[in-house]
């Protein structure tokens, strides 16, 4: 696959290319020192650029075409995964995947939105935009987990719930609302992780839990910056400003006390080292599960409802 | 002689004003009839000729549903805090100030307790006139408090929705109000206290995707636009015209997401009747 380079990554990419060129050309000459200096420079540059990302740049990273998706994480951090299908009412939504898997030997139900990698798979996955049957499928899996007393992990990554005629006919709004309602009192631990794009109700539809975690280069908000720009600025050109105004990064949401914890990614983003990204996520999940497993279901539900009831800011 | 004659009517822009204009007389935005305002008000803001339901606010709904003189409002002065210092083409702070001045409302929802056909009832009602009835922290918090009131009084809850969805200027906070209100409704449900959701024109976005769709009974006013995505977004996405009557109350009834479509004049009787059989 062709390497995708974001605008702000270009200086890094160019330096890396230069290093490769030197290495290739230096059959007889010793260039170790030069390469070393350049590599040091590249690392510095990368650290520099990635510690000063704007909000819009984070959004771009969250949408990076090489970014790991739900099934990538499942494959790299779990064993014995059996994918389950269908909502038992209408069909099997390919934009939401899930099933039982083992996390360090411990059975869990893992569910997430799934994007495609190329045009063909994106059409198959509907670009990660679920229809109502996707949310109902997810709810069925969660109730299955509850029945057998297994914790639920949801991975959020969607540009939104699908806005189509059939989606409305089959009750997109009802499906999302029902999930929020049911997830709020599911009697097993739920851990929610935003692994890419957390676009509004479409993401939240599988996103009510005891712990809310966010990977470092992701976003979560009520609307995508482009759409926000088109509505409030009446033009598509203010996406950078909209991203700033929405305060949609992991750091922002931690500050707003909506997210509990930020999960660091390998330098340059999760796609630079999937194996490492998955290991960090796995360790974090195990850590969180350990704490939650000690809580009684009643207490868990009480705390969960309380947690969401605290969210917001108002003057009396 | 003209070469071309327009055979069809002008393209309907679909965004005619539906609020009542100032003055003695008004025109029905559906059938075009010139109506006397007093007569429309007497008819509960419904066109006497074609039955079109004008958009009205919390003041009107409270007067329609509560027995006279029994309504008591709670947390009336709660306002948004602008937690993100949000600025688009305008400061959110200024937008709130201006809207409060213009509408006399403090946010897009009011709630209170009172008697409906002698039954103690909690009603929360949204106001579309306040930033498109958008749901931010205040709407979420007031709904939570209305639910708390319901549980304390063991009185049924009615939420009347009129909303374009979540409020963009409170970003993730607004989004979390979907979860907040739905979680709280689950608590109410476990106490077996009836909750009636009344959807009026329009009820879309995050409002529909949370409390509006979660009624033990979902009631809608005739002709109300109800949906998740707005018609314009859907049209843009699929690149096709939308079918006649799409996302209207009667369409949702047909598809199984609304229990009953009730004309405004029957709202009080029908809801009271339902509650008498549920409680």
């Amino acid at each position: 696959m062709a390497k995708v380079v974001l605008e702000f990554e270009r200086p890094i990419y160019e330096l890396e290319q230069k290093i490769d060129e030197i290495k290739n050309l230096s059959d007889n000459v010793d260039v170790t020192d030069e390469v070393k200096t350049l590599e040091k420079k590249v690392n510095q540059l990368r650290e520099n650029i990635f510690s000063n990302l704007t909000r819009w740049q984070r959004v771009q990273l969250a949408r990076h075409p090489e970014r790991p998706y739900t099934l990538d994480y499942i494959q790299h951090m779990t064993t014995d995964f059996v994918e389950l299908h269908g909502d038992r009412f209408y069909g099997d939504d390919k934009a939401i995947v899930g099933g039982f898997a083992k996390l360090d030997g411990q059975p869990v139900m893992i569910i997430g939105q799934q994007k495609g990698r190329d045009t063909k798979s994106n059409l198959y996955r509907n670009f990660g935009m679920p229809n109502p049957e996707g949310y109902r499928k997810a709810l069925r899996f969660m109730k299955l987990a509850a029945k057998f007393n297994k914790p639920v992990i949801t991975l959020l990554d969607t540009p939104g719930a699908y806005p189509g005629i059939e989606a409305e006919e089959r009750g997109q709004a009802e499906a999302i609302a029902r999930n929020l309602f049911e997830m709020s009192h599911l009697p097993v631990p739920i851990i929610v992780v935003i692994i890419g794009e957390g676009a509004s109700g479409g993401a939240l539809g599988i996103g009510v839990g005891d712990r809310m975690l966010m990977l470092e280069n992701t976003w979560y908000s009520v609307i995508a910056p482009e759409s926000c720009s088109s509505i409030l600025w009446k033009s598509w050109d203010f996406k950078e400003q909209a991203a700033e105004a929405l305060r949609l990064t992991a750091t922002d949401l931690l500050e707003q006390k909506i997210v509990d914890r930020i999960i660091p990614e390998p330098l340059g983003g999760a796609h630079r080292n999937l194996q490492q990204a998955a290991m960090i996520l796995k360790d974090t999940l195990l850590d969180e599960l350990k704490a939650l497993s000690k809580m009684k279901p009643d207490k868990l539900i009480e705390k969960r409802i309380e947690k969401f009831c605290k969210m917001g800011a108002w003057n009396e | 002689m003209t070469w071309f004659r327009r055979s069809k009517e002008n393209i309907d822009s679909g965004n005619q004003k539906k609020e009542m204009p100032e003055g003695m007389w008004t025109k029905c935005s559906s059938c075009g009839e010139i109506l006397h305002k007093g007569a429309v008000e007497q008819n509960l803001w419904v066109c006497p000729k074609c039955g079109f339901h004008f958009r009205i606010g919390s003041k009107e709904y409270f007067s329609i549903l509560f027995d006279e003189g029994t309504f008591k409002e709670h947390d009336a002065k709660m306002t948004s805090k602008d937690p993100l210092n949000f600025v688009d083409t305008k400061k959110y702070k200024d937008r709130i100030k201006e809207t409060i001045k213009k509408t006399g409302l403090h946010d897009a929802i009011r709630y209170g307790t009172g008697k409906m056909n002698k039954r103690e009832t909690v009603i929360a009602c949204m106001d579309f006139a306040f930033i498109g009835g958008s749901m931010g922290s205040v709407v979420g918090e007031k709904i939570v408090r209305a639910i708390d009131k319901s549980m304390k009084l063991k009185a049924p809850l009615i939420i009347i929705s009129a909303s374009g969805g979540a409020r963009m200027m409170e970003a993730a906070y607004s989004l979390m109000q979907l979860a907040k209100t739905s979680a709280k409704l689950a608590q109410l449900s476990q106490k077996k206290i009836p909750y009636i959701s009344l959807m009026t024109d329009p009820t879309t976005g995050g409002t529909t995707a949370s409390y509006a769709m979660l009624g033990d009974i979902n009631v809608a006013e005739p002709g109300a636009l109800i949906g998740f995505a707005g018609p314009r977004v859907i049209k843009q996405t699929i690149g096709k015209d939308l079918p006649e009557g799409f996302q209207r109350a009667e369409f949702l009834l047909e598809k199984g997401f609304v229990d009953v479509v009730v004309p405004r004049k029957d709202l009080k009787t029908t809801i009271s009747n339902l509650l008498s059989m549920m409680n």
Side-chain angles (χ1 to χ4, degrees):
Chain A
M1 189 177 10
K3 195 174 155 71
V4 180
V5 182
L6 299 173
E7 193 55 41
F8 62 89
E9 290 180 304
R10 191 148 291 280
I12 303 170
Y13 178 69
E14 277 166 4
L15 253 181
E16 279 177 338
Q17 286 227 305
K18 206 165 153 192
I19 295 172
D20 282 348
E21 254 169 54
I22 293 171
K23 277 183 184 163
N24 286 340
L25 286 172
S26 61
D27 281 350
N28 307 315
V29 200
D30 181 26
V31 288
T32 340
D33 283 351
E34 202 179 340
V35 167
K36 245 189 196 156
T37 336
L38 280 175
E39 270 173 351
K40 212 173 148 192
K41 212 171 149 191
V42 135
N43 281 335
Q44 251 170 10
L45 189 66
R46 186 176 291 126
E47 234 163 90
N48 230 328
I49 289 176
F50 278 86
S51 55
N52 292 300
L53 291 177
T54 67
R55 292 185 169 91
W56 174 246
Q57 287 167 341
R58 295 263 187 217
V59 173
Q60 287 177 294
L61 272 177
R63 291 175 181 164
H64 199 290
E66 285 158 15
R67 197 168 168 83
Y69 300 143
T70 295
L71 286 174
D72 298 316
Y73 285 112
I74 291 178
Q75 198 192 347
H76 281 82
M77 68 179 188
T78 71
T79 56
D80 305 287
F81 174 60
V82 181
E83 190 180 345
L84 307 173
H85 297 273
D87 69 342
R88 295 291 190 272
F89 292 113
Y90 180 80
D92 181 49
D93 191 339
K94 311 293 190 293
I96 288 190
V97 296
F100 282 116
K102 281 185 192 152
L103 199 69
D104 202 24
Q106 187 184 342
V108 295
M109 174 58 78
I110 187 158
I111 304 164
Q113 286 115 351
Q114 179 67 37
K115 291 178 174 174
R117 219 29 97 192
D118 49 33
T119 311
K120 200 176 155 196
S121 63
N122 254 320
L123 287 173
Y124 181 70
R125 298 287 178 194
N126 200 29
F127 297 83
M129 293 188 282
N131 274 286
E133 53 273 20
Y135 296 105
R136 292 182 183 129
K137 168 181 174 179
L139 183 57
R140 184 173 81 83
F141 294 177
M142 290 184 234
K143 290 196 162 173
L144 193 61
K147 181 173 177 181
F148 299 104
N149 199 24
K150 299 291 175 278
V152 174
I153 294 163
T154 65
L155 305 180
L156 274 50
D157 185 17
T158 179
Y162 186 63
I165 291 185
E166 293 82 6
E168 295 289 321
E169 284 178 342
R170 297 198 290 271
Q172 189 73 287
E174 195 275 344
I176 294 172
R178 186 65 49 200
N179 278 17
L180 307 181
F181 183 90
E182 295 291 341
M183 288 183 89
S184 73
H185 62 278
L186 200 79
V188 289
I190 306 173
I191 301 176
V192 178
V193 192
I194 295 113
I195 59 164
E197 294 193 86
S200 200
L204 182 65
I206 56 165
V208 177
D210 304 296
R211 296 287 287 169
M212 310 263 283
L213 319 176
M214 229 171 143
L215 288 189
E216 197 182 339
N217 298 307
T218 61
W219 69 272
Y220 196 18
S221 196
V222 73
I223 190 165
E226 292 93 330
S227 314
C228 180
S229 160
S230 93
I231 297 173
L232 291 181
W233 278 268
K234 313 231 180 316
S235 146
W236 295 93
D237 302 334
F238 295 85
K239 50 184 191 285
E240 283 96 344
Q241 284 97 316
E244 288 299 313
L246 287 167
R247 309 253 197 114
L248 40 57
T249 66
T251 333
D252 292 327
L253 272 98
L254 188 70
E255 250 171 56
Q256 294 160 29
K257 297 198 168 70
I258 290 171
V259 155
D260 301 297
R261 183 168 173 175
I262 300 173
I263 305 170
E265 290 179 25
L267 188 59
H271 60 286
R272 305 280 308 203
N273 190 339
L274 168 59
Q275 193 59 41
Q276 197 192 345
M279 280 310 110
I280 301 172
L281 178 57
K282 181 181 169 182
D283 288 344
T284 315
L285 287 171
L286 286 170
D287 182 43
E288 295 286 352
L289 278 175
K290 207 170 143 196
L292 289 172
S293 66
K294 288 180 198 136
M295 286 173 75
K296 291 228 160 63
D298 287 356
K299 196 81 198 154
L300 203 64
I301 293 167
E302 191 191 314
K303 287 252 177 219
R304 193 184 302 152
I305 295 178
E306 216 171 81
K307 174 189 178 71
F308 282 92
C309 281
K310 275 192 203 138
M311 291 180 188
W314 58 86
N315 298 310
E316 291 288 336
Chain B
M1 201 179 114
T2 47
W3 281 27
F4 301 106
R5 196 173 294 258
R6 193 191 291 276
S7 61
K8 284 179 190 159
E9 294 210 81
N10 283 349
I11 296 163
D12 179 9
S13 66
N15 52 7
Q16 317 128 298
K17 278 227 156 56
K18 287 181 183 167
E19 287 90 30
M20 294 282 269
E22 299 295 315
M24 277 277 281
W25 296 90
T26 183
K27 192 174 160 183
C28 173
S29 31
S30 178
C31 69
E33 182 82 353
I34 306 292
L35 304 162
H36 187 268
K37 264 184 119 173
V40 174
E41 196 179 320
Q42 279 239 306
N43 203 33
L44 306 179
W45 301 274
V46 174
C47 172
K49 194 179 168 216
C50 73
F52 173 78
H53 284 52
F54 285 93
R55 276 183 191 168
I56 52 174
S58 56
K59 185 169 158 257
E60 289 79 13
Y61 279 110
F62 288 146
S63 80
I64 291 171
L65 293 177
F66 280 122
D67 302 342
E68 214 180 326
T70 65
F71 168 65
K72 187 169 173 277
E73 188 176 356
H74 304 285
D75 299 306
K77 295 273 158 70
M78 192 188 287
T79 53
S80 173
K81 213 173 187 169
D82 184 20
L84 305 176
N85 273 313
F86 194 95
V87 183
D88 50 270
T89 52
K90 217 189 240 182
K91 279 188 185 164
Y92 177 41
K93 268 196 189 71
D94 295 340
R95 213 184 271 272
I96 294 172
K97 257 189 227 152
E98 284 163 27
T99 316
I100 290 176
K101 213 171 147 194
K102 198 177 81 190
T103 60
L105 301 160
H106 285 79
D107 208 294
I109 199 165
R110 290 168 68 211
Y111 85 98
T113 44
K115 297 265 160 72
M116 190 174 74
N117 284 334
K118 302 199 179 89
R119 179 191 308 275
E120 181 85 47
T121 311
V122 180
I123 305 183
C125 181
M126 301 189 75
D127 278 288
F128 191 74
F130 200 99
I131 319 187
S134 52
M135 167 178 35
S137 300
V138 174
V139 170
E141 179 62 17
K142 278 201 179 181
I143 285 180
V144 163
R145 291 190 191 186
I147 296 169
D148 274 330
K149 198 62 96 188
S150 257
M151 292 198 285
K152 200 176 145 209
L153 300 171
K154 296 192 170 53
L157 171 75
I158 302 171
I159 301 179
I160 305 167
S161 297
S163 167
R167 189 174 296 169
M168 272 176 285
M169 299 79 147
E170 292 183 31
Y173 283 115
S174 295
L175 181 61
M176 290 307 130
Q177 305 311 309
L178 276 73
K180 175 170 170 171
T181 53
S182 305
K184 196 71 191 178
L185 279 173
Q187 239 178 24
L188 183 75
S189 183
Q190 274 161 359
K191 297 238 154 53
K192 300 201 189 306
I193 295 169
Y195 161 46
I196 309 258
S197 165
L198 170 60
M199 292 173 256
T200 73
D201 188 64
T203 300
T204 61
T207 302
T208 323
S210 57
Y211 50 88
M213 270 295 157
L214 291 173
D216 291 312
I217 294 183
N218 291 339
V219 181
E221 279 193 343
L225 178 80
I226 303 163
F228 176 65
R232 221 175 341 143
V233 176
I234 299 173
K235 213 172 145 177
Q236 263 173 18
T237 309
I238 61 169
K240 272 191 279 192
D241 281 332
L242 302 174
E244 181 80 26
F246 180 62
Q247 290 186 315
R248 295 290 163 187
E250 297 73 15
F251 173 90
L252 273 92
L253 183 75
E254 183 60 33
K255 296 295 169 193
F257 294 98
V258 158
D259 286 288
V260 55
V261 176
V262 181
R264 206 170 273 163
K265 68 174 169 49
D266 299 333
L267 277 178
K268 189 169 176 176
T269 332
T270 307
I271 295 176
S272 298
N273 186 22
L274 281 168
L275 290 176
S276 75
M277 292 184 274
M278 291 164 79
N279 240 356

